[in-house]
Amino acid sequence: MVDRLANSEANTRRISIVENCFGAAGQPLTIPGRVLIGEGVLTKLCRKKPKARQFFLFNDILVYGNIVIQKKKYNKQHIIPLENVTIDSIQDEGDLRNGWLIKTPTKSFAVYAATATEKSEWMNHINKCVSDLLSKSGKTPSNEHAAVWVPDSEAAVCMRCQKAKFTPVNRRHHCRKCGFVVCGPCSEKRFLLPSQSSKPVRICDFCYDLLSTGEMAACQSTRSDSYGQSPKSSLNDVSDDDDDEDSSD
């Protein structure tokens, strides 16, 4: 069906509408063979709080942006190549329900659908697109993923030293390797993570020691296994946001 739609006038028109909604600040999306599979509003778990984002699933990329005017205008366009994507379901917890992780080497984050049916449809379509891409290219699924940042609200004290309390003066920082919320003294070191940046990035002392000794690989876990556990018992994943202006910390 995707091949049949690839060069159809209806598909070209739909993609053009998406381009226009992002305006001049967005990247062109129309290329030969690209098909718009579906679209919808998902709640993205951001650093400060969950936020509604507009998502567009194409057969080769996932695009999302901030909603300025629903169905008319979006900004802060993000484009994620599906070849590098893996997804994992998240168990329902409190008000956060029908969620899954979108994981890539450069960034990873959690999203939530309005219903269980919507979640299932999104996950099935994403998995199908990824599977088709990998089948055509002969590549293998990516096994390296950036950590998902723990939201600020989940950490009143440093998740490493368990002592430093966060205040307007004592700011929260995020380790780029494990995603934990840590204090300044616990994250003074930098380490080069090529998949995330061309320059050394902030990481916590714990991850620095593991990376420096080559032991990090043995300690990796996925959020689907570790979410809700204490930082002492797992290393990984809980929620990112590059949409926030102050997310550089």
Side-chain angles (χ1 to χ4, degrees):
M1 181 176 178
V2 170
D3 292 337
R4 179 165 55 83
L5 291 173
N7 297 312
S8 71
E9 182 178 337
N11 178 65
T12 301
R13 184 169 60 253
R14 292 176 67 200
I15 295 178
S16 178
I17 291 172
V18 175
E19 285 184 336
N20 291 335
C21 285
F22 278 103
Q27 295 185 39
L29 298 172
T30 303
I31 64 170
R34 177 167 290 165
V35 175
L36 178 58
I37 304 296
E39 61 183 89
V41 177
L42 298 173
T43 298
K44 182 174 180 287
L45 192 56
C46 300
R47 176 179 179 177
K48 298 296 183 183
K49 62 182 179 180
K51 298 176 183 177
R53 297 286 184 257
Q54 180 73 27
F55 280 77
F56 299 93
L57 176 63
F58 296 83
N59 59 331
D60 61 334
I61 57 174
L62 182 66
V63 178
Y64 72 92
N66 295 4
I67 301 170
V68 180
I69 303 174
Q70 182 65 36
K71 298 291 185 182
K72 292 185 178 181
K73 186 176 181 181
Y74 310 109
N75 64 13
K76 295 189 178 180
Q77 183 191 68
H78 299 267
I79 300 177
I80 302 173
L82 286 179
E83 272 193 348
N84 298 325
V85 168
T86 58
I87 58 176
D88 288 323
S89 181
I90 303 172
Q91 292 185 350
D92 293 344
E93 182 175 342
D95 294 333
L96 296 174
R97 308 180 68 82
N98 310 314
W100 68 97
L101 288 178
I102 296 175
K103 303 192 297 184
T104 81
T106 55
K107 64 182 298 180
S108 303
F109 53 91
V111 292
Y112 296 84
T115 67
T117 299
E118 187 179 341
K119 169 186 174 177
S120 178
E121 290 176 348
W122 270 101
M123 291 189 70
N124 288 338
H125 284 307
I126 292 173
N127 276 327
K128 179 66 164 59
C129 289
V130 173
S131 176
D132 288 347
L133 279 173
L134 294 177
S135 177
K136 290 179 180 179
S137 67
K139 296 181 180 178
T140 56
S142 175
N143 59 6
E144 180 184 359
H145 307 109
V148 186
W149 285 13
V150 176
D152 287 358
S153 60
E154 293 189 14
V157 299
C158 175
M159 297 177 72
R160 286 305 180 197
C161 70
Q162 299 287 313
K163 296 177 182 178
K165 293 183 178 180
F166 296 120
T167 67
V169 176
N170 187 29
R171 297 181 57 203
R172 293 171 171 83
H173 302 278
H174 278 82
C175 171
R176 298 310 195 270
K177 187 60 183 177
C178 68
F180 281 175
V181 184
V182 291
C183 64
C186 284
S187 59
E188 292 179 339
K189 296 182 175 65
R190 299 289 192 276
F191 200 92
L192 182 63
L193 302 176
S195 63
Q196 296 189 38
S197 175
S198 59
K199 298 179 181 179
V201 294
R202 179 189 295 271
I203 62 172
C204 67
D205 291 348
F206 183 70
C207 288
Y208 182 84
D209 291 342
L210 291 178
L211 286 166
S212 299
T213 57
E215 297 179 7
M216 176 59 77
C219 297
Q220 297 291 4
S221 63
T222 62
R223 182 182 179 196
S224 56
D225 296 327
S226 68
Y227 188 53
Q229 298 178 5
S230 72
K232 293 182 180 179
S233 61
S234 83
L235 245 192
N236 228 25
D237 292 337
V238 196
S239 179
D240 133 351
D241 190 26
D242 54 359
D243 303 23
D244 290 342
E245 293 180 358
D246 58 349
S247 64
S248 59
D249 288 325

